[in-house]
Amino acid sequence: MEQFMRQVGLYEVLPRAAWSDLTLVRYEPGATICTQGDPARVLRFLVNGKIRVSHTSAAGKRLVLSFKQPLDLIGDIEYVQRTPYLNTVEAVTTVEMLVIRFDDLARHAADDVAWLHYLLEEITRKFERKSQSMSFNLFYPVDVRLASYLLSMTPEMKTLGSTVDELTDIADLIGTSYRHVNRTLKRFVEDGLIERDRRSITVVDRERLIDVAGESIYE
C-alpha cells in the first residue's frame, strides 16, 4: 500500500495516522464498485486500472460521464456532504483501490490542512471534468462519441459485447438511440475500423478510430 501511495502522490497528503485504516481492494473487470443512490461510507483511491463512471437521471436516462485512471477519488463529494453515491462506478479492467471508512478518515484528517487542500483541489477538478463531459454528450456527433467509447472500453485490446441489450446499453450511455449506434457500427465495419458479429465488437484499427474521435474526451 505504501508503494501505491508513493506512486500516486498520496504519501505526502494523507495523514500518517490514517494509513493503518487503509485496505487494498481488487475488483475484476465488469464489477460494480458503487451504485448511484446507495449509502456512501468509504472513500476509495483508484491506484491501478481503469473505471467507468455513469449517471442516471430522474427520467431514467443513463449517460457515461467519464473513464478514469489513477489517481482518482471515488466518494470524495459524498465524504464532504455525507450523501449517497452520486454516480455508478464500474471496473473496466482489473482495478485496485485503497479504501478507508469515512469515520476513520474524519477522525485522523478533519483538521489536517494539507489533506483538506488536496481534497478541495480534487473536487474542483471533478466538477470541471463533469462540465466538459456534459458538453461532449450534447455537442459532439454520434460517430465521435461512439469511437471515444469504444477506445475507452478497450484499453487492453479487448472486445465488447454486440447483442441487442448490450448495444442498447451503449446507446443509453452515449446519449443516442440503438438504431443510430447500429448504423454507425456498420459504417465502422465498412471502413475497416472494427470487426463485428452477433456477439462481439473488436477494434482492429485503433489508430484510425482515434482519428475519428480526435481524442477520447471521456478520459
Side-chain angles (χ1 to χ4, degrees):
M1 288 193 294
E2 186 171 331
Q3 180 180 353
F4 274 130
M5 289 173 67
R6 289 186 182 276
Q7 287 175 356
V8 300
L10 281 178
Y11 192 87
E12 296 82 6
V13 297
L14 191 66
R16 185 174 292 269
W19 293 5
S20 61
D21 292 313
L22 287 167
T23 56
L24 182 63
V25 180
R26 174 176 289 185
Y27 301 89
E28 296 304 316
T32 299
I33 296 167
C34 62
T35 302
Q36 180 180 335
D38 281 357
R41 299 186 178 93
V42 298
L43 179 64
R44 296 177 173 92
F45 301 91
L46 174 63
V47 294
N48 186 43
K50 176 183 278 192
I51 58 175
R52 182 180 73 182
V53 182
S54 61
H55 183 81
T56 303
S57 70
K61 291 293 293 181
R62 191 157 65 105
L63 287 175
V64 61
L65 297 180
S66 60
F67 290 82
K68 297 182 178 180
Q69 302 183 67
L71 173 70
D72 201 83
L73 276 61
I74 303 299
D76 46 357
I77 298 172
E78 293 85 348
Y79 168 71
V80 173
Q81 297 184 334
R82 290 299 196 270
T83 59
Y85 286 114
L86 299 174
N87 303 308
T88 295
V89 179
E90 298 155 291
V92 176
T93 64
T94 299
V95 164
E96 290 175 297
M97 291 184 159
L98 294 174
V99 180
I100 187 169
R101 287 169 45 86
F102 286 171
D103 291 345
D104 293 331
L105 183 59
R107 186 171 70 254
H108 296 305
D111 299 316
D112 187 279
V113 175
W115 163 251
L116 294 176
H117 181 71
Y118 171 79
L119 189 60
L120 177 61
E121 286 186 337
E122 288 299 313
I123 291 174
T124 301
R125 279 196 288 267
K126 183 167 291 187
F127 277 111
E128 181 181 2
R129 289 195 298 265
K130 182 177 180 180
S131 176
Q132 291 171 345
S133 69
M134 295 301 289
S135 297
F136 179 68
N137 275 303
L138 289 171
F139 298 123
Y140 280 74
V142 169
D143 59 341
V144 175
R145 278 181 269 168
L146 183 55
S148 292
Y149 184 83
L150 294 176
L151 289 167
S152 293
M153 285 295 291
T154 55
E156 300 170 354
M157 302 305 293
K158 294 180 179 179
T159 60
L160 297 179
S162 185
T163 66
V164 172
D165 286 344
E166 286 166 325
L167 292 190
T168 300
D169 193 46
I170 292 174
D172 287 344
L173 285 165
I174 67 171
T176 188
S177 68
Y178 165 82
R179 290 183 179 180
H180 207 155
V181 166
N182 205 30
R183 287 196 301 269
T184 306
L185 287 174
K186 287 180 180 178
R187 189 165 70 251
F188 286 176
V189 171
E190 293 168 358
D191 292 342
L193 305 178
I194 64 172
E195 291 178 352
R196 178 188 174 194
D197 56 32
R198 292 183 177 181
R199 294 186 177 182
S200 65
I201 300 166
T202 303
V203 175
V204 296
D205 195 332
R206 195 171 187 86
E207 292 304 315
R208 289 177 61 208
L209 198 61
I210 290 172
D211 290 340
V212 174
E215 59 177 346
S216 181
I217 58 82
Y218 290 128
E219 300 286 347

